[in-house]
Amino acid sequence: MIAAGRSASPASTLLRLRRDRPQPAAGERCEMCAEPIGEEHPHVVNLDSRALMCGCRACYLLFTDEGARLRYRAVPERYLHFAGLTVDGRAWDELQIPVGLAFLFRNSVQDRMVAFYPGPAGATESELPLDAWEAVVAASPVLAGLRPDVEALLIRRTAGGGGSCHLVPIDACYELVGQLRTLWRGFDGGSEARTAMDAFFARVADRSRPAEGVVAP
């Protein structure tokens, strides 16, 4: 016990503060207003840092106006499949992508297209030549409807020149890259990474609708 008239020692004060401190709430919280959010929640992109932020629905809706000049932008939920779009070997080389998987999007801050591909270090950027991108868009004008910063063209090239092409939310691309980073082995990723890519693209295909007839936003 502490004698009357004497102040508590620093150690006992720290112990009391630690004991009385409220325990942090379990689960994720909105990174803007700190409200609790579920495991499935929307994301917002910080246009300056390129960081994804977890958000509640209310905060997410604040940044859905595509015409507003804001620092943040809400990531939409649209998935499209470009059934007739292929990228041949020559075009792939022009895009400067050394592996068979890449995602491309327009960075509005830099006002240019950028391309990323996965690897053991995460997402690696390859600067995209403008003429190469224009050639791809010319073959499929609907690609001009990519929303800057928040939507990406996800391309996978398979053996024999085949492959698949989808328009996906940018957070889906970062989810895939994060998963592959833990599995990647060697130059091409290895069997575990390829299995993960197969499963991911199967889920994307299930969520995608045909891009034909879709009006560019």
Side-chain angles (χ1 to χ4, degrees):
M1 296 181 61
I2 300 173
R6 295 181 59 185
S7 61
S9 68
S12 63
T13 301
L14 288 174
L15 287 173
R16 178 175 56 80
L17 291 174
R18 182 177 180 181
R19 183 177 60 250
D20 296 340
R21 181 183 302 166
Q23 294 298 314
E28 293 193 70
R29 289 182 172 270
C30 174
E31 294 184 64
M32 293 186 165
C33 71
E35 282 295 308
I37 53 177
E39 183 176 348
E40 296 292 330
H41 52 260
H43 292 101
V44 173
V45 173
N46 182 319
L47 302 185
D48 295 325
S49 67
R50 309 302 319 160
L52 283 175
M53 302 177 65
C54 301
C56 66
R57 193 67 184 175
C59 289
Y60 171 85
L61 292 174
L62 293 174
F63 304 102
T64 54
D65 185 351
E66 297 176 23
R69 299 186 64 179
L70 301 172
R71 180 183 177 186
Y72 303 97
R73 187 76 65 197
V75 178
E77 300 175 351
R78 130 174 124 148
Y79 286 76
L80 301 178
H81 176 222
F82 299 92
L85 179 64
T86 59
V87 181
D88 60 26
R90 179 179 178 182
W92 194 265
D93 292 339
E94 290 178 350
L95 295 178
Q96 301 179 6
I97 305 299
V99 296
L101 175 66
F103 64 94
L104 302 78
F105 67 93
R106 173 165 289 280
N107 185 319
S108 65
V109 175
Q110 300 179 10
D111 193 25
R112 67 182 180 93
M113 290 300 302
V114 293
F116 287 84
Y117 55 89
T124 301
E125 181 178 355
S126 174
E127 293 189 5
L128 180 65
L130 183 61
D131 54 349
W133 174 249
E134 288 178 344
V136 175
V137 172
S140 185
V142 71
L143 296 181
L146 276 173
R147 294 179 171 100
D149 306 299
V150 294
E151 289 185 332
L153 183 65
L154 182 62
I155 306 174
R156 187 183 186 188
R157 185 185 181 197
T158 56
S164 59
C165 180
H166 297 265
L167 183 151
V168 300
I170 194 69
D171 53 3
C173 297
Y174 289 125
E175 174 191 345
L176 175 61
V177 168
Q179 184 180 14
L180 294 181
R181 182 178 182 180
T182 64
L183 302 173
W184 199 272
R185 300 292 183 273
F187 179 77
D188 65 352
S191 60
E192 286 188 277
R194 288 192 293 272
T195 298
M197 282 189 276
D198 291 340
F200 179 84
F201 273 86
R203 293 193 299 272
V204 167
D206 287 341
R207 300 187 65 175
S208 297
R209 59 192 175 103
E212 290 78 7
V214 174
V215 178

